[in-house]
Amino acid sequence: MKAKVQWLDNSRFVGTAESGHTVVMDGDKQSAASPMEMVLMAAGSCASVDVVSILKKARQQVSAVEVELSAERADAVPAVFVRMHLKFIVSGIDISEKHVERAVNLSAEKYCSVSIMLGKSVDVSHSFEVRQAEF
């Protein structure tokens, strides 16, 4: 896997992935997410991909998956993450809590490369909530 990051101006940079997709990052958070916010969102999106895939394979009628992310950073430089929590909110028709719990655990323990990698130095925790879909 390869990527490049180019300075645009001030504290803004554009990252280009090997796939050709781009993302703007702003160290000052003025016009885009900061690099640390991107790491947090990457953990959430990686885990969400797993949870959706696992629930679909379990034939759950999922209509929405959202993950609320929170993180605490060290008070010193470098201000690395010390704690991160991912709360999954899964909506659908007759969603089984056991299936959601299994999907979240499999993502956390086996599949999500981002949160597993971060877990080597960050206290990463997970929770979930199941909601009946509204039509």
Side-chain angles (χ1 to χ4, degrees):
M1 182 179 298
K2 294 182 179 184
K4 68 178 178 179
V5 175
Q6 294 174 294
W7 178 47
L8 296 174
D9 56 35
N10 301 319
S11 293
R12 288 185 337 128
F13 295 81
V14 63
T16 305
E18 188 173 26
S19 63
H21 297 287
T22 62
V23 63
V24 175
M25 297 166 277
D26 188 342
D28 292 331
K29 302 183 210 175
Q30 298 291 318
S31 63
S34 73
M36 289 300 281
E37 289 171 324
M38 298 292 278
V39 171
L40 185 62
M41 291 186 289
S45 61
C46 177
S48 294
V49 166
D50 298 333
V51 169
V52 168
S53 174
I54 293 164
L55 290 174
K56 283 185 174 183
K57 287 178 184 170
R59 301 181 194 268
Q60 295 295 291
Q61 296 180 57
V62 177
S63 60
V65 173
E66 179 178 321
V67 60
E68 295 175 348
L69 299 136
S70 58
E72 293 177 40
R73 295 176 70 178
D75 289 331
V77 174
V80 298
F81 290 134
V82 293
R83 272 182 281 297
M84 180 183 295
H85 184 76
L86 294 81
K87 179 185 178 184
F88 293 87
I89 301 166
V90 179
S91 301
I93 300 169
D94 298 325
I95 301 292
S96 163
E97 287 201 12
K98 284 186 178 184
H99 281 294
V100 175
E101 181 176 28
R102 179 178 177 273
V104 169
N105 287 339
L106 281 170
S107 174
E109 297 166 7
K110 186 174 182 179
Y111 293 117
C112 179
S113 304
V114 177
S115 65
I116 291 170
M117 177 180 63
L118 290 171
K120 303 291 183 191
S121 61
V122 179
D123 178 16
V124 180
S125 59
H126 301 76
S127 64
F128 68 90
E129 176 183 333
V130 175
R131 295 181 183 168
Q132 184 67 22
E134 296 178 18
F135 297 98

